[in-house]
Amino acid sequence: IVDPLRQLDQDLARFQSGQGTGAELLQDTKQYEQMRSQVAELRRSIANLHGAEILRSDASYQSWTRQLDAFIQQVDAMNAGPLLTTPAVYDNFNGTAQELEGTIKEFRDDPRKFLRIKIF
């Protein structure tokens, strides 16, 4: 019984001296207040979630589930389509990106070449 009590006493002494885990909360109230506000915000979020219609209504839940399923099917169709599976499309996009990069670099080097104002 004595050893755990000694250990607890040593831990408390370290904590109060600022060396223990979480000791900075005793010395700096800013961190404590920040943590407290985050916990309060979490509680408000949970309370708002309890009042959410999707948790109370089967129709809302079913509608949300159908929309999510449709979105998943669209992503799957796009992943299987030629846009992401054909190397030619990638090469075309890559070439276009390189041309755009060159044009932007040229514009930065000599903007007067691109910006011409003609009144008549």
Side-chain angles (χ1 to χ4, degrees), residues 72-86:
I72 290 171
Q73 288 174 358
Q74 289 174 350
V75 169
D76 288 343
M78 188 172 67
N79 285 338
L83 183 64
L84 296 177
T85 58
T86 307

Side-chain angles (χ1 to χ4, degrees), residues 14 28 106:
R14 263 186 306 193
D28 185 14
E106 192 176 346

Side-chain angles (χ1 to χ4, degrees), residues 26-62:
L26 290 177
Q27 297 168 350
D28 185 14
T29 59
K30 182 180 176 184
Q31 287 182 346
Y32 172 74
E33 291 299 326
Q34 183 180 13
M35 186 186 321
R36 210 176 132 104
S37 69
Q38 288 174 346
V39 169
E41 181 63 32
L42 178 62
R43 286 184 177 169
R44 280 192 295 275
S45 296
I46 291 172
N48 290 339
L49 187 61
H50 283 295
E53 183 182 345
I54 195 167
L55 294 178
R56 295 177 177 249
S57 168
D58 278 344
S60 295
Y61 174 77
Q62 302 261 338

